């Protein structure tokens, strides 16, 4: 039986994402100096990563004590005596959301993460788009529930993403939620003002807008540019960090999300937590998600998506055209 909006899984994941999103924004605001984050000091992102993972794992564990959570962080570094100050700060932030948390509890919640995939598991990226977080740009908290290799539920919290297509007037902070077979939805950062979202109906490739990573090491911008030229796409690409790219595609703001592996690392294998939540949000909004060779994404073989190469997300209508263009090189 499928999940619905009132399932315990959905309620738990949703609450966890709202709390983690507030925690990450609090850290980002507190550690901002004169409007810019301390770029040379990675501690803000470290604290936010650990804090977000602790809160989400604790909330999932409480309701689903036997579920496996495949997550990016563990507490090994945090437990080192040299990092005691960081652990103290993580614990303080977590305590603001889960009162009276001890450092030992925080470490044990972080360590609920596992490396081995089972029939049913949660995939968590506590902060996706670390570089965006540090720059004051986009980042996401990404949580998905996967059963027998299929994504059943995906949640993306994008605390710094404008809620509508008019970025200058719109409020900041979005939550995207999708359930298999039940559509995709966007809410504000508190989970209010829910509305269904749909991909764009753009049929003419030349009207498309491509979104891609900000970081040139994460995707081959030159190949993307050549593809845009071939398809007569005149609008410049929209560069954005994190799985927020899936969210803006799902709500029809862009048409194609391209992630051809960069020439610096052509054999790069994607992590499941970097795509599981985003992919169901794009698909349930009417989009299509494959790798750059047109193969379905593999969420069952391991943490690394060994059977895939790069990522292509589209509004569905333009998928084959893009695949053919990529094929021709
Ligand atoms: P984005 O913000 O879309 O550029 O993606 C951020 C994610 O890129 C991070 O979560 C990393 O897991 C992932 N990443 C790191 N190195 C690479 C790489 N060489 N190619 C593609 N993705 C990468
Ligand atoms: Mg990530």
């Amino acid at each position: 039986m499928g999940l619905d909006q009132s399932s315990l899984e959905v309620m738990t994941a949703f609450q966890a994402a709202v709390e983690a999103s507030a925690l990450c924004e609090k850290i980002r605001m507190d550690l901002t100096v004169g409007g810019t984050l301390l770029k040379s000091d990675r501690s803000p992102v470290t604290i936010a990563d650990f804090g977000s993972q602790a809160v989400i794992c604790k909330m999932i564990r409480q309701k689903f004590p036997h579920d496996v959570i495949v997550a990016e962080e563990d507490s090994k570094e945090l437990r080192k005596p040299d990092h005691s100050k960081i652990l103290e700060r993580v614990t303080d932030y977590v305590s603001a959301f889960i009162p009276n948390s001890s450092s030992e509890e925080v470490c044990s919640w972080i360590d609920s993460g596992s490396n081995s995939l089972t029939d049913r598991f949660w995939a968590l990226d506590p902060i996706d788009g670390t570089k965006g977080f540090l720059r004051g740009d986009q980042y996401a908290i990404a949580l998905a529930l996967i059963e027998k290799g299929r994504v059943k539920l995906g949640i993306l919290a994008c605390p710094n993403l404008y809620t509508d297509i008019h970025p200058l007037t719109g409020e900041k902070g979005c939550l995207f939620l999708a359930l298999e077979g039940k559509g995709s939805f966007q809410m504000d950062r508190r989970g209010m003002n829910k509305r269904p979202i749909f991909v764009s109906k753009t049929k003419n490739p030349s009207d498309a807008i491509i979104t891609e990573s900000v970081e040139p090491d994460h995707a081959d911008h030159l190949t993307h540019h050549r593809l845009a030229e071939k398809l007569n796409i005149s609008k410049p690409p929209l560069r954005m960090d994190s799985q927020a790219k899936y969210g803006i595609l799902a709500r029809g703001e862009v048409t194609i999300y391209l992630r051809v592996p960069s020439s610096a690392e052509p054999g790069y294998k994607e992590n499941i937590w970097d795509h599981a939540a985003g992919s169901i949000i794009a698909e349930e909004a009417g989009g299509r998600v494959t790798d750059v060779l047109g193969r379905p994404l593999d969420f069952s073989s391991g943490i690394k998506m060994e059977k895939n190469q790069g990522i292509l997300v589209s509004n569905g209508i333009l998928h084959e055209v893009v695949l053919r263009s990529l094929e021709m090189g």
Side-chain angles (χ1 to χ4, degrees):
M1 206 185 63
L3 296 172
D4 62 40
Q5 306 275 348
S6 58
S7 305
L8 188 59
E9 282 87 345
V10 180
M11 306 296 283
T12 306
F14 169 76
Q15 273 163 15
V18 170
E19 302 277 287
S21 163
L23 179 141
C24 291
E25 272 304 88
K26 186 162 170 31
I27 293 172
R28 206 167 66 86
M29 296 305 164
D30 287 357
L31 302 175
T32 295
V33 175
T36 16
L37 272 168
L38 308 162
K39 286 186 189 166
S40 56
D41 174 3
R42 289 181 56 81
S43 61
V45 77
T46 309
I47 296 169
D49 268 319
F50 286 128
S52 169
Q53 181 157 325
V55 166
I56 293 175
C57 286
K58 145 89 175 148
M59 292 174 78
I60 293 177
R61 269 275 174 277
Q62 201 168 7
K63 303 288 183 199
F64 302 100
H66 305 296
D67 275 3
V68 164
I69 308 169
V70 176
E72 198 166 8
E73 310 299 336
D74 64 53
S75 76
K76 212 167 125 216
E77 284 295 315
L78 205 52
R79 287 180 192 267
K80 289 186 176 160
D82 279 3
H83 294 154
S84 61
K85 281 269 170 295
I86 293 204
L87 176 56
E88 227 171 82
R89 285 159 81 192
V90 176
T91 307
D92 283 349
Y93 277 107
V94 171
S95 293
F97 293 85
I98 303 170
N100 308 317
S101 306
S102 69
S103 290
E104 186 45 47
E105 282 173 322
V106 166
C107 286
S108 76
W109 294 332
I110 292 168
D111 286 336
S112 357
S114 147
N115 285 331
S116 44
L117 277 52
T118 44
D119 239 23
R120 166 179 156 122
F121 67 94
W122 298 83
L124 168 65
D125 194 343
I127 288 201
D128 180 37
T130 304
K131 290 180 175 156
F133 180 90
L134 286 168
R135 261 192 261 104
D137 290 335
Q138 294 308 321
Y139 68 99
I141 293 124
L143 179 63
L145 176 64
I146 299 168
E147 285 179 6
K148 297 190 167 60
R150 292 192 61 79
V151 185
K152 298 286 172 182
L153 148 71
I155 288 204
L156 278 182
C158 303
N160 201 27
L161 183 67
Y162 39 93
T163 50
D164 68 24
I165 270 166
H166 308 292
L168 296 177
T169 51
E171 192 198 329
K172 286 241 180 123
C174 302
L175 270 169
F176 297 97
L177 163 70
L179 302 180
E180 191 185 44
K182 305 271 166 62
S184 281
F185 299 86
Q186 178 182 305
M187 289 158 269
D188 65 22
R189 70 167 78 203
R190 291 167 293 274
M192 310 299 281
N193 297 314
K194 188 165 162 193
R195 66 174 175 96
I197 50 171
F198 304 96
V199 294
S200 86
K201 295 190 168 66
T202 304
K203 286 193 191 69
N204 193 339
S206 62
D207 295 331
I209 301 176
I210 295 177
T211 186
E212 62 187 7
S213 290
V214 173
E215 294 297 324
D217 290 350
H218 291 180
D220 186 348
H221 288 169
L222 185 60
T223 299
H224 297 181
H225 177 69
R226 289 200 186 115
L227 178 115
E229 279 185 338
K230 257 196 266 176
L231 298 178
N232 289 318
I233 296 175
S234 55
K235 295 197 184 96
L238 201 163
R239 292 195 174 149
M240 189 176 273
D241 301 283
S242 86
Q243 287 171 72
K245 290 187 279 299
Y246 281 100
I248 59 167
L249 187 139
R251 71 185 184 193
E253 205 172 329
V254 296
T255 342
I256 297 164
Y257 165 20
L258 201 49
R259 195 180 185 89
V260 174
S262 81
S263 50
E265 223 177 317
Y268 181 81
K269 294 295 173 192
E270 305 284 342
N271 298 309
I272 51 174
W273 53 65
D274 283 332
H275 299 285
S279 65
I280 187 172
I281 287 161
E283 282 175 344
E284 286 293 332
R288 199 174 149 199
V289 184
T290 65
D291 71 2
V292 291
L293 298 173
R295 297 174 295 203
L297 301 191
D298 170 29
F299 294 117
S300 59
S301 300
I303 286 173
K304 291 277 175 194
M305 294 158 63
E306 296 291 346
K307 294 179 185 157
N308 295 120
Q309 186 184 330
I311 302 285
L312 169 63
V313 190
S314 77
N315 66 345
I317 305 168
L318 294 178
H319 212 84
E320 289 300 327
V321 178
V322 178
L323 279 178
R324 274 200 302 278
S325 283
L326 286 170
E327 218 174 275
M328 291 187 299

